[in-house]
Amino acid sequence: MQQSDIKAARAQELITAATSAIGRRQDTTGDACVMRLGDTSHRKRAEAGQELKSHLFDMVTEADRVGATAPQIVGDLAGFPVEAATGRG
């Protein structure tokens, strides 16, 4: 397979993934914004942001105690999972 064929195949994969993502996307403009974190749904961006920061702080605190964590889904936004992990850099 030539390099141009490999690039074309990869481009097609990206187009397919983007088309799928567009179909899953949910509106987040204005009052339509909903972010789910754990079992709680937040309609206000500031509240969702504070809750997310709190959750991430807890993850970092736990990582300081037991070590890095594997990626985990902490919620979703606009139809997409929100994933977080901790590590040591």
Side-chain angles (χ1 to χ4, degrees), residues 13-87:
E13 289 174 6
L14 291 172
I15 290 168
T16 300
T19 301
S20 174
I22 289 169
R24 277 195 330 263
R25 186 192 170 281
Q26 298 168 358
D27 184 19
T28 60
T29 58
D31 291 338
C33 182
V34 177
M35 182 174 198
R36 185 187 56 76
L37 295 166
D39 295 331
T40 306
S41 293
H42 298 275
R43 293 198 165 274
K44 297 187 183 221
R45 288 173 178 82
E47 290 174 5
Q50 289 294 1
E51 180 70 22
L52 180 58
K53 286 191 322 188
S54 176
H55 185 80
L56 296 175
F57 180 81
D58 291 346
M59 286 180 68
V60 169
T61 301
E62 181 71 5
D64 284 344
R65 193 174 65 77
V66 298
T69 63
Q72 58 185 291
I73 295 174
V74 297
D76 62 67
L77 176 65
F80 297 95
V82 175
E83 189 176 90
T86 61

